Every structure is written in C-alpha cells, then in structure tokens.
Amino acid sequence: MKVGDVVIFSDLESVYAKWFYGQIGIVKSCGRGSHCRVTWMQPVKYFNSFATFSDFPVKNFEISK
C-alpha cells in the first residue's frame, strides 16, 4: 500500500467495522508497512462526531480497483 492509493475498509472482524466497514479513503501516509493514515472520501459518523481521517493497520484495508 502506498500514498495515493484508494482503499476500502474491509475488516469485518475489527471493532471499528460497524462505523468504517465499506468506507472509501485515500492513503495519506504509511508507517513502516504496519499502519496507514487514510483521509475518508466522505466523513464517517463515529459516535457523536465525524471522522475525516483515521489511522488503522494495513490489514484493515483492500486497495480499490
């Protein structure tokens, strides 16, 4: 995964899946291959606010085609 890739949050086993599953974002940074910062295409409702970016493990994402 590299900066600029379009990704989809695809990990149904994640505790964050109920908010982020199926959301599409753009990779802004990746730290040593284990975590990525993603800017969401549309803000994601997360509890009482909206997330415009998130940091998750790479395993939570698939690269969009």
Side-chain angles (χ1 to χ4, degrees), residues 1 29-37 55-61:
M1 203 169 293
S29 65
C30 275
R32 300 188 184 161
S34 60
H35 280 77
C36 283
R37 174 164 282 195
D55 295 289
F56 286 114
V58 170
K59 71 177 186 75
N60 291 74
F61 298 104

Side-chain angles (χ1 to χ4, degrees), residues 1-56:
M1 203 169 293
K2 63 186 183 305
V3 172
D5 283 346
V6 176
V7 294
I8 300 170
F9 192 99
S10 60
D11 187 358
L12 275 173
E13 301 299 316
S14 170
V15 297
Y16 300 101
K18 76 180 202 178
W19 297 284
F20 294 96
Y21 183 78
Q23 298 297 323
I24 299 170
I26 299 171
V27 176
K28 292 300 177 184
S29 65
C30 275
R32 300 188 184 161
S34 60
H35 280 77
C36 283
R37 174 164 282 195
V38 172
T39 299
W40 300 112
M41 299 288 258
Q42 295 182 4
V44 179
K45 183 144 175 63
Y46 181 64
F47 289 101
N48 293 325
S49 64
F50 287 88
T52 56
F53 69 91
S54 300
D55 295 289
F56 286 114

